[in-house]
Amino acid sequence: MPTHKKLSPAAPWVEVIATKKDWDAADPALLTSIFVQTLIIRTFEEYVLSLASQGLVHGPAHSSVGQEGGAVGSVLTLTASDYVNGSHRGHHQFLAKALGYVAPDGIDPRLPLPEAVRTVLYRSLAEICGLADGFCRGRGGSMHLQWREAGAMGTNAIVGGGVPQAAGFAWSARHAATDAVSVSYFGDGAVNIGSVLETLNLAGAWQLPVCFFIENNRYAVSTHVDEVTAEPRLSARGLGFNIPSWRVDGMDPLAVHLATSEAVAHMRAGLGPTVVEADVYRYFHQNGPFPGSAFGYRTKEEEKEWRDRDPLALVISHLIRRGIFTETEVADCTARAKAEMEAVASQLLEPMPCGKPGQQQIKPDLWPDPDFRDVGVRGDLKEFDAARTADLSSFQGQLQDRRFIDVVADVMGRRMAEDERIVVLGEDVHRLKGGTNGATRGLAEAFPDRVLGTPISENAFAGLAGGIALEGRYRPVVEFMYADFMWVAADQLFNQIGKARHMFGGTNDVPLVLRSKVAMGTGYGSQHSMDPAGILATAPGWRIVAPSTPFDYIGLMNSALRCNDPVVVLEHVDLYPTTGEVPTDDLDFCLPVGKAAVRRSGSDLTVLTYLAMTNYVLEAVENSDLDAEVIDLRWLDRASIDWDTIGESIRKTNNVLIAEQGAVGTSYGGWLADEIQRRFFDWLDQPVQRVTGGEASPSISKVLERAAIAQADEVTTALKNITGR
């Protein structure tokens, strides 16, 4: 018989219970703050539900009525320098942090609300109603509330989607040598999400000061937590990652405050992340003003049991018992809060003309201007006003031949030496003498605290980099070994990083660079070979660069690192061993955003291409009798396409061929051809022609892989078809 040795987790796991002695010992100022914040948030949320019932909230109204104790009790342990982000049900989290920011010494509920507090309520309500005066100028609504100045870094409509960003805020705080902490609020539904579990692991491995605050309200929409996990004590998740964990009754805001205070002290001491699970209850359905029992997934008896433990009623009972407030004073404070909320809302509402008595509408002049629709998808590029630009065709300095891959490492080393904000992270970037291809050669030795080797968890470290970028002090450079891995981290790239500037009002810089390689032709098969340009071009917010020469790589990477938008830098493995002219001692120039390169002049046909396909096109054209003009696009996103150069060429040649290597289904040329035919239809003698790979992703077989991708032979065939020769 084998011997069995009982194991126990390395991290502590405790439940914190507030006793009557704790309530008796609590500072009256603390209890008053708990009361007034809970009262204001409850009054605000009830008013939002009343607006929703009148049809005045366009979209969801995810109320937090009943759950206020978790947010208030935890946020009161934080300072203005700390960060929070939250879930789709995040009004209470956002308001607690904002109220603490504008009234750090507390709010006296016996007096009229300070103007700064009224402003927070007004702008929050305006945002939920989708109005121009909202914190996100009406774009965020109920689920996307952000006020960076207050450390409220954004609530999030994707379940678990904001958690990796919170780790990024924590990394920035620690790297800047502050004692600030980050708290990420999410619910029981998010606990089993991959991005959350990946981030728990990453935060534990890197000892980041981030608190994973679980609001366990037991229902993911209508599905009970017991149905979806064998361990419904959700704070147990922390133990698997060696993270100290606390469990607490979230209907008791003082208990939450005590537990979170311990967790925050642990993090401020530099001891790493924490988990706090607060058992709470939402009184209403997932969305709107009706209880869950109205939809049949909860009983009225269950709802009554939880309402009997109401956090606001609990703190009021202790305030009265201790003589801090009288029943009359509590009633007066409650009436005053409702009157203040009515006064705030009156700035947004007016009687509906020809409506029923009491029927209201949003004041028409408060809606955003429709012309604001696309403003702020990307930045205005003012950061390039003082940039020095250069191009090989006009460069005056001394040149030498260098390998493409060597330039990749050299330009990053140069920028990191001059800009302490740049941090590089990815799998194996710190090992193997420069990663799997040598692209980070020498960086880990020169900048050991800014070259971070990550776990294999693209969701977590891409999202963490997104948090670093949004926090604003540092410029993350993320490496994905293969472009296919972008789809592993698709939520972070497309829903989070790409949309962040626009979604939160259009003014947030998101200075992030994502490097990734296109590896078709190397035998790595269907899941390591794709060209992502076509799909990336459909995603708002991202800029895309595709360098085909070492000189261009220097200028385009410098531009990417200067840009305040997220930029994807695509690198093709076919180009890594190639050589080309670069300045002998100049790694500091930019290539202008939105400037293509004419690689060959011609009059018969315009060929548009990028990356390694550029060389294949030039080879095919030189071996043909067609006088083709070859344009290397360099910038591929919608906002950066060089329509001036393209248009000038089309008006000369009247024919267009778009040549790319990748699969036809994810083709970049699809949208580009459509745009060209709409812009330049009158100048075209025939429809835009295209060269792509096949329908299938490249296979491992050398023969099948070659059949799946386009190179010079496919371009030659297209040229013959165009000329009829």
Side-chain angles (χ1 to χ4, degrees):
M1 292 289 290
T3 299
H4 291 78
K5 181 180 179 181
K6 186 176 181 179
L7 301 177
S8 59
W13 182 29
V14 298
E15 183 170 6
V16 175
I17 301 169
T19 66
K20 181 175 178 292
K21 289 183 178 180
D22 294 312
W23 281 95
D24 289 343
D27 188 333
L30 171 63
L31 298 185
T32 299
S33 291
I34 292 175
F35 167 57
V36 69
Q37 282 212 16
T38 306
L39 176 61
I40 289 173
I41 294 170
R42 173 71 60 85
T43 305
F44 179 91
E45 289 283 68
E46 289 175 344
Y47 199 89
V48 168
L49 290 178
S50 74
L51 292 182
S53 68
Q54 299 173 58
L56 295 175
V57 176
H58 181 66
H62 295 114
S63 82
S64 59
V65 176
Q67 297 190 190
E68 305 93 341
V72 171
S74 57
V75 169
L76 282 171
T77 67
L78 305 179
T79 71
S81 299
D82 297 319
Y83 309 95
V84 304
N85 72 350
S87 66
H88 61 282
R89 189 178 312 286
H91 302 168
H92 56 322
Q93 304 150 6
F94 176 83
L95 285 172
K97 190 67 168 74
L99 292 173
Y101 178 71
V102 299
D105 297 325
I107 302 167
D108 189 339
R110 301 176 180 87
L111 301 175
L113 289 179
E115 189 59 34
V117 172
R118 288 197 194 95
T119 299
V120 166
L121 298 177
Y122 171 79
R123 293 187 67 192
S124 300
L125 190 61
E127 186 58 49
I128 291 168
C129 291
L131 306 181
D133 288 342
F135 279 101
C136 302
R137 304 170 79 178
R139 286 178 174 162
S142 172
M143 297 186 290
H144 310 110
L145 293 163
Q146 185 198 65
W147 190 21
R148 290 176 64 186
E149 292 85 349
M153 304 299 285
T155 56
N156 205 292
I158 303 296
V159 174
V163 176
Q165 294 172 23
F169 310 148
W171 184 91
S172 294
R174 189 186 67 178
H175 192 76
T178 75
D179 70 347
V181 303
S182 173
V183 180
S184 189
Y185 295 90
F186 54 94
D188 47 281
V191 167
N192 302 312
I193 292 285
S195 59
V196 174
L197 297 172
E198 288 182 22
T199 307
L200 281 162
N201 177 67
L202 184 56
W206 288 4
Q207 291 292 282
L208 299 177
V210 56
C211 175
F212 299 87
F213 195 101
I214 306 166
E215 290 185 317
N216 185 359
N217 68 22
R218 286 171 168 70
Y219 289 92
V221 187
S222 62
T223 302
H224 196 277
V225 66
D226 289 344
E227 300 177 61
V228 295
T229 179
E231 176 50 281
R233 298 172 301 171
L234 303 180
S235 47
R237 300 296 192 274
L239 306 184
F241 302 100
N242 197 20
I243 299 176
S245 302
W246 285 258
R247 192 165 188 248
V248 66
D249 178 6
M251 307 302 276
D252 183 336
L254 179 61
V256 174
H257 180 76
L258 295 172
T260 311
S261 294
E262 294 176 10
V264 169
H266 175 93
M267 294 186 291
R268 293 206 200 282
L271 300 177
T274 58
V275 170
V276 174
E277 176 192 8
D279 287 325
V280 296
Y281 199 77
R282 54 172 164 86
Y283 293 168
F284 296 94
H285 178 52
Q286 165 79 354
N287 170 34
F290 301 102
S293 56
F295 298 87
Y297 64 88
R298 299 194 310 207
T299 66
K300 292 182 178 180
E301 291 75 19
E302 176 186 306
E303 291 171 344
K304 182 180 183 303
E305 288 176 7
W306 282 91
R307 281 182 174 269
D308 288 344
R309 299 173 50 213
D310 183 77
L312 181 57
L314 177 64
V315 69
I316 288 172
S317 69
H318 285 289
L319 288 171
I320 294 172
R321 181 181 62 80
R322 288 189 53 186
I324 300 171
F325 282 78
T326 66
E327 290 187 21
T328 300
E329 286 175 321
V330 168
D332 289 344
C333 291
T334 302
R336 184 176 295 108
K338 292 181 178 180
E340 293 272 18
M341 195 65 234
E342 291 280 355
V344 166
S346 70
Q347 300 174 67
L348 305 178
L349 305 172
E350 65 180 14
M352 180 178 289
C354 304
K356 297 178 181 178
Q359 197 169 8
Q360 302 178 98
Q361 67 177 17
I362 301 292
K363 293 179 180 178
D365 61 345
L366 297 180
W367 293 107
D369 189 326
D371 291 339
F372 185 59
R373 180 192 66 187
D374 294 333
V375 174
V377 173
R378 301 169 185 83
D380 58 12
L381 300 178
K382 286 182 179 178
E383 61 269 29
F384 286 90
D385 287 350
R388 181 173 70 86
T389 61
D391 213 330
L392 183 59
S393 60
S394 58
F395 189 79
Q396 299 297 312
Q398 187 175 356
L399 299 169
Q400 62 177 339
D401 277 349
R402 295 290 309 281
R403 284 201 315 160
F404 194 109
I405 189 61
D406 294 336
V407 167
V408 172
D410 287 352
V411 70
M412 187 60 66
R414 173 72 166 178
R415 293 281 69 78
M416 293 184 76
E418 294 205 337
D419 189 346
E420 294 184 350
R421 297 174 299 167
I422 296 173
V423 55
V424 174
L425 59 161
E427 297 156 8
D428 291 302
V429 294
H430 62 321
R431 302 284 191 224
L432 305 175
K433 297 182 180 180
T436 54
N437 289 94
T440 53
R441 186 195 65 252
L443 300 184
E445 294 78 13
F447 315 103
D449 61 335
R450 290 193 283 139
V451 178
L452 311 177
T454 66
I456 299 175
S457 53
E458 283 81 6
N459 251 318
F461 70 79
L464 180 143
I468 292 173
L470 285 169
E471 195 275 341
R473 275 183 282 200
Y474 301 99
R475 287 180 172 266
V477 178
V478 176
E479 178 185 298
F480 281 178
M481 266 189 208
Y482 295 92
D484 308 67
F485 300 170
M486 293 181 188
W487 274 258
V488 177
D491 174 50
Q492 294 304 316
L493 298 185
F494 302 129
N495 279 326
Q496 309 296 339
I497 296 167
K499 294 179 181 177
R501 179 192 286 271
H502 184 268
M503 181 172 69
F504 290 129
T507 58
N508 283 340
D509 290 341
V510 192
L512 180 148
V513 172
L514 172 62
R515 291 182 47 248
S516 194
K517 68 190 180 194
V518 177
M520 61 184 68
T522 62
Y524 268 75
S526 297
Q527 295 177 336
H528 284 62
S529 302
M530 80 172 300
D531 175 359
I535 297 177
L536 283 168
T538 68
W542 284 94
R543 296 188 188 269
I544 312 166
V545 298
S548 63
T549 71
F551 187 100
D552 282 7
Y553 189 91
I554 296 171
L556 291 172
M557 178 52 79
N558 283 333
S559 293
L561 290 169
R562 177 179 284 264
C563 189
N564 287 331
D565 296 323
V567 182
V568 171
V569 179
L570 298 179
E571 302 167 9
H572 200 298
V573 292
D574 279 358
L575 297 173
Y576 281 164
T578 65
T579 61
E581 290 184 315
V582 299
T584 301
D585 56 1
D586 185 357
L587 293 169
D588 301 324
F589 61 90
C590 293
L591 277 175
V593 176
K595 185 63 178 174
V598 178
R599 301 298 186 196
R600 183 188 189 280
S601 296
S603 59
D604 293 341
L605 172 69
T606 298
V607 185
L608 305 178
T609 188
Y610 61 94
L611 278 181
M613 196 62 171
T614 304
N615 293 332
Y616 291 121
V617 167
L618 290 170
E619 176 187 342
V621 169
E622 292 303 322
N623 291 327
S624 76
D625 57 0
L626 192 64
D627 186 25
E629 183 152 289
V630 179
I631 298 177
D632 182 354
L633 294 170
R634 300 200 290 201
W635 293 86
L636 304 183
D637 58 276
R638 290 177 180 269
S640 307
I641 282 284
D642 187 353
W643 291 116
D644 291 339
T645 298
I646 294 171
E648 181 180 352
S649 182
I650 291 174
R651 284 186 285 269
K652 177 172 57 174
T653 67
N654 309 118
N655 289 287
V656 179
L657 171 67
I658 302 173
E660 57 187 315
Q661 281 197 292
V664 64
T666 54
S667 167
Y668 176 78
W671 85 267
L672 185 60
D674 171 71
E675 190 70 18
I676 288 170
Q677 290 180 151
R678 287 191 296 107
R679 287 175 180 252
F680 303 107
F681 181 81
D682 290 342
W683 294 92
L684 295 172
D685 289 343
Q686 61 177 316
V688 174
Q689 303 299 308
R690 293 172 56 204
V691 171
T692 71
E695 179 182 356
S697 301
S699 303
I700 292 290
S701 164
K702 187 174 183 179
V703 172
L704 294 177
E705 180 182 46
R706 177 61 189 89
I709 65 178
Q711 292 182 349
D713 290 347
E714 285 72 21
V715 179
T716 297
T717 299
L719 296 177
K720 290 178 180 179
N721 291 337
I722 289 171
T723 62
R725 297 192 294 272

